[in-house]
Amino acid sequence: MTTARYERARPVAVMIERNLRIYRHTWALLLAEILEPILYLGSIGLGVGVLVGHLPGLGAPSVGYPEFVAPALLATAAMNGALNETAFLMYNRLAVERIYQPILATPMSVGEVAVGEIAWAVLRSVMITVGFLGVIAVFGLVASPWVLLGVLGAAVIGFCFACVGLLVATWVRGFPDFQFVQLVMLPMFLFATTFYPLGVYPRPVQVAVECLPLYQAIQLLRGPALGQVDAALLLSAGYLLVLGGLALHWGLRRLRRILSV
Amino acid sequence: MGILAQFVFCGYMLAVCGGAVRLSGVSVSSRTSVVSARGLTKTYPPGKAGSAFTAVDAIDFEVHSAEAFGFLGPNGAGKSSTMRMIGCVSPPTGGTLQILGMDAADSGKRIRARIGSVPQDDLLDPELTVGENLLIYGRYFGMSRIAIAERSAELLEFARLTDKADARVQALSGGMRRRLTIARSLMNTPDLLLLDEPTTGLDPQARHLLWERLFELKRQGVTLVLTTHYMDEAERLCDRLVVMDHGRVVATGSPRALIDTHVTREVLELLIEPGTGAAVAARAYGVADRIEVLADRLLCYTDDGERALARAHERGLGGLDALVRRATLEDVFLYLTGRSLIE
Ligand SMILES: Nc1ncnc2c1ncn2[C@@H]1O[C@H](COP(=O)(O)OP(=O)(O)OP(=O)(O)O)[C@@H](O)[C@H]1O
Ligand SMILES: [Mg+2]
């Protein structure tokens, strides 16, 4: 029973092992990805925070602007970390390096390769989150110990966007197409209540923003970070898991078609 | 030599070759089939512009245990498509395919565990070093680290890449990459080894090393399936082979049997000025059973080369450089897949 389960997990572990090997050469990338949200936090969180002061409509009067922005930046970093890892790197491996073909000449299957890559992307999201949380803790920007729930949240966010990235990788026709991905990602980053609360929008816009996956990702991290843990978190997590599951299902179907010619 | 004598001779050679399989091996009493294809078909789906394309068109073949089996054929004949179906990486679109006693349609994973494969394009992992390429590849097969360390040390030695173990794949020359691909295919000690143009790009020494290894593997009972464009290699390595053209099998047999069946015993080669082929061929008409015109020479197929040469002299072709040689697999290949000009 346990050996059977181990046998099923082994191919996934091998894909992670391969990525860890590569990270021996490229670990600086991970640092860069932790540094990026910290720079945002430094410039906008602290800089703009001085102008904004205390945020109205957030309840707890102790919550400052940097504490409000930090979880959103973290959610964005977890999203980008996972999405880039699958969308960009999987496209590269699929169409440019063509390394999946020889892997599929071994007992590995398309599903195992894909799930392995996604598991690695989730792991990266978690690593980025832990690194980022460590840094903001040092700067005294942690409002509640519930922030540790963010590690779990980052895994959910990582899963969702890694699966979306997989789907993107099967659609991309060439590197210029990643411009379109940016065209979606950047506005989403700006509108998904990263820098101000949902309340600033009129109701119809609020509904649209609530549909954005990044908004749900931010909700998932911001609540616990500010000490507000309630059932709405499950809703956000559920949204992300279902979206990820659908993307995975569709992406796998497309990947199988591409790889088994 | 008369037609009858030739016929008898061919029959004799066929009998000898039929027995040769048993003589060379450890007396294979019942030859078990390792790969068995019936009506095997591969139709690629239509691309953006074109229509669906049938690259392998209902072919039958049988590969026996511990033999070296070759696929020959011109570019685009469907060799690689067939190899990839045998390797269970490309699903057949028609027919049945049994490999190592299992059905390729539903046992791909278990079959691939026992196959080693050298794809035509190396497809090494450029994000990893040479050593890591072997290590991770072994991991895909579920091998233990200890087993991998031992095996990859031995294979790096064989591929003469030991001092390049920490180099990036991009830093290897084309032939080194080929050698690494071959080493990689042996990581899992396969029972069936698929080699798609394994020696393309190898220097003569590396080629001989590979041949040596392949003979040794065959002695150990490993079944080899390979493609090559080098006819001398096919003649030397393959116990049996098929010639493919346009997705179909046009001939099957041992190299010797194919030579005896499809071409004459000897060939008279007349070296000509490029461009004069047609004119010289017209004058040489009748000196041999069949004449093939190449860019710089005429190939005159005959069972008695010396007599054909004498006849060529009678026709005033004595001024040309000439040589008489035994027919080879290359002649068979040209005959079966080229356009024979003068019968
Ligand atoms: N993935 C594919 N999609 C569509 N057509 C393909 C694909 N792969 C091969 N073909 C076509 O199938 C035919 C056979 O190709 P294949 O690679 O099997 O030939 P081959 O005998 O290995 O040739 P070569 O000696 O050049 O390696 C060719 O016409 C090729 O264009
Ligand atoms: Mg080929």
Side-chain angles (χ1 to χ4, degrees):
Chain A
M1 173 75 193
T2 43
T3 50
R5 197 174 298 160
Y6 171 75
E7 266 311 299
R8 224 175 304 147
R10 191 188 53 74
V12 175
V14 174
M15 292 308 292
I16 294 176
E17 184 182 345
R18 174 182 175 277
N19 281 298
L20 279 173
R21 287 255 156 204
I22 295 164
Y23 252 65
R24 287 185 176 180
H25 314 294
T26 59
W27 52 268
L29 271 180
L30 192 69
L31 289 190
E33 274 174 79
I34 296 173
L35 195 63
E36 188 183 299
I38 289 172
L39 289 179
Y40 268 105
L41 189 62
S43 70
I44 296 178
L46 300 178
V48 178
V50 171
L51 304 177
V52 173
H54 170 68
L55 270 182
L58 266 177
S62 60
V63 175
Y65 190 66
E67 282 97 329
F68 175 78
V69 173
L73 293 174
L74 179 53
T76 308
M79 170 184 80
N80 285 333
L83 190 88
N84 289 341
E85 190 70 16
T86 48
F88 197 78
L89 284 185
M90 278 190 81
Y91 167 72
N92 192 38
R93 289 167 185 168
L94 182 65
V96 183
E97 295 174 349
R98 300 207 296 144
I99 62 152
Y100 293 137
Q101 279 88 343
I103 296 179
L104 296 173
T106 73
M108 304 278 290
S109 69
V110 176
E112 287 162 351
V113 168
V115 172
E117 296 283 51
I118 286 167
W120 164 249
V122 170
L123 203 62
R124 262 179 52 111
S125 290
V126 170
M127 288 192 283
I128 291 171
T129 304
V130 170
F132 183 81
L133 285 180
V135 173
I136 63 169
V138 167
F139 283 103
L141 290 175
V142 172
S144 158
W146 281 108
V147 77
L148 287 176
L149 210 56
V151 177
L152 197 61
V156 172
I157 297 168
F159 168 75
C160 175
F161 288 100
C163 293
V164 170
L166 163 70
L167 183 58
V168 169
T170 66
W171 280 110
V172 169
R173 294 156 301 177
F175 285 111
D177 276 1
F178 282 102
Q179 284 296 330
F180 294 116
V181 178
Q182 279 311 307
L183 205 62
V184 176
M185 300 305 285
L186 190 63
M188 185 157 79
F189 170 57
L190 294 175
F191 283 102
T193 73
T194 320
F195 300 111
Y196 36 79
L198 188 64
V200 304
Y201 296 118
R203 188 57 202 153
V205 180
Q206 282 183 14
V207 173
V209 169
E210 280 169 343
C211 290
L212 295 177
L214 180 57
Y215 171 79
Q216 300 296 340
I218 290 172
Q219 286 301 97
L220 195 57
L221 297 192
R222 184 173 274 158
L226 301 180
Q228 300 155 357
V229 178
D230 53 24
L233 290 183
L234 291 178
L235 215 62
S236 294
Y239 174 99
L240 294 173
L241 288 174
V242 168
L243 179 64
L246 290 175
L248 177 60
H249 181 74
W250 191 11
L252 265 181
R253 263 197 16 203
R254 291 186 49 82
L255 199 60
R256 283 205 183 93
R257 230 194 9 246
I258 293 171
L259 282 170
S260 60
V261 282
Chain B
M1 196 191 295
I3 286 282
L4 185 66
Q6 188 184 346
F7 183 73
V8 170
F9 178 73
C10 284
Y12 168 73
M13 281 310 292
L14 274 174
V16 168
C17 293
V21 177
R22 244 149 294 157
L23 291 178
S24 63
V26 195
S27 151
V28 190
S29 50
S30 64
R31 295 186 301 180
T32 47
S33 162
V34 172
V35 184
S36 165
R38 292 280 164 275
L40 186 63
T41 301
K42 182 75 198 186
T43 301
Y44 290 108
K48 291 239 155 32
S51 50
F53 182 79
T54 299
V56 179
D57 196 358
I59 64 172
D60 300 333
F61 62 87
E62 197 95 25
V63 180
H64 303 138
S65 178
E67 77 172 340
F69 189 86
F71 284 98
L72 304 186
N75 292 142
K79 305 179 296 295
S80 296
S81 300
T82 306
M83 293 292 269
R84 293 193 301 118
M85 287 193 278
I86 302 174
C88 295
V89 287
S90 165
T93 48
T96 60
L97 182 58
Q98 292 275 326
I99 301 158
L100 295 161
M102 293 174 269
D103 193 335
D106 57 18
S107 307
K109 208 178 175 71
R110 281 194 297 150
I111 295 171
R112 291 197 303 270
R114 293 173 55 194
I115 289 184
S117 96
V118 175
Q120 183 168 2
D121 331 314
D122 296 315
L123 301 177
L124 292 162
D125 194 328
E127 298 174 68
L128 300 172
T129 65
V130 169
E132 286 172 336
N133 258 279
L134 295 183
L135 186 154
I136 294 292
Y137 203 73
R139 301 291 289 161
Y140 295 140
F141 283 94
M143 293 170 65
S144 75
R145 272 165 223 287
I146 305 166
I148 289 175
E150 237 171 71
R151 189 104 181 112
S152 55
E154 190 261 319
L155 288 173
L156 281 175
E157 198 62 44
F158 160 65
R160 291 178 296 146
L161 288 172
T162 307
D163 56 335
K164 296 268 184 193
D166 294 324
R168 309 260 307 186
V169 169
Q170 290 100 317
L172 297 184
S173 75
M176 289 175 184
R177 251 174 259 165
R178 202 72 192 134
R179 271 151 37 195
L180 179 58
T181 308
I182 294 166
R184 183 179 71 172
S185 75
L186 295 171
M187 273 306 282
N188 63 325
T189 20
D191 296 322
L192 169 62
L193 188 56
L194 307 176
L195 305 131
D196 198 349
E197 298 190 26
T199 54
T200 299
L202 292 189
D203 63 40
Q205 197 193 351
R207 180 179 300 201
H208 280 283
L209 269 175
L210 176 64
W211 287 353
E212 210 173 284
R213 179 79 173 217
L214 293 181
F215 280 125
E216 184 192 319
L217 286 169
K218 211 167 65 159
R219 260 200 310 280
Q220 293 165 3
V222 177
T223 308
L224 310 174
V225 178
L226 58 108
T227 77
T228 179
H229 286 300
Y230 303 113
M231 295 303 129
D232 57 327
E233 177 169 282
E235 211 168 328
R236 203 181 293 202
L237 280 182
C238 298
D239 298 307
R240 288 187 316 128
L241 44 86
V242 299
V243 181
M244 289 183 75
D245 199 10
H246 297 115
R248 294 178 164 280
V249 169
V250 292
T252 313
S254 69
R256 196 66 246 165
L258 286 173
I259 292 168
D260 293 333
T261 317
H262 296 287
V263 288
T264 54
R265 208 161 59 84
E266 294 188 330
V267 183
L268 164 67
E269 289 196 8
L270 295 172
L271 305 187
I272 54 175
E273 283 297 313
T276 62
V280 180
R283 280 170 66 195
Y285 182 80
V287 304
D289 302 358
R290 190 166 59 81
I291 296 177
E292 190 102 27
V293 182
L294 302 185
D296 65 337
R297 67 194 63 203
L298 247 51
L299 303 180
C300 310
Y301 291 94
T302 174
D303 282 319
D304 188 342
E306 289 303 329
R307 228 178 88 199
L309 182 58
R311 281 204 220 140
H313 276 279
E314 283 163 23
R315 300 203 182 181
L317 294 171
L320 298 173
D321 278 337
L323 90 99
V324 175
R325 58 167 175 83
R326 288 192 60 136
T328 65
L329 205 51
E330 184 138 357
D331 299 306
V332 176
F333 188 87
L334 288 174
Y335 171 66
L336 288 174
T337 65
R339 285 148 305 278
S340 193
L341 297 179
I342 300 172
E343 286 292 340

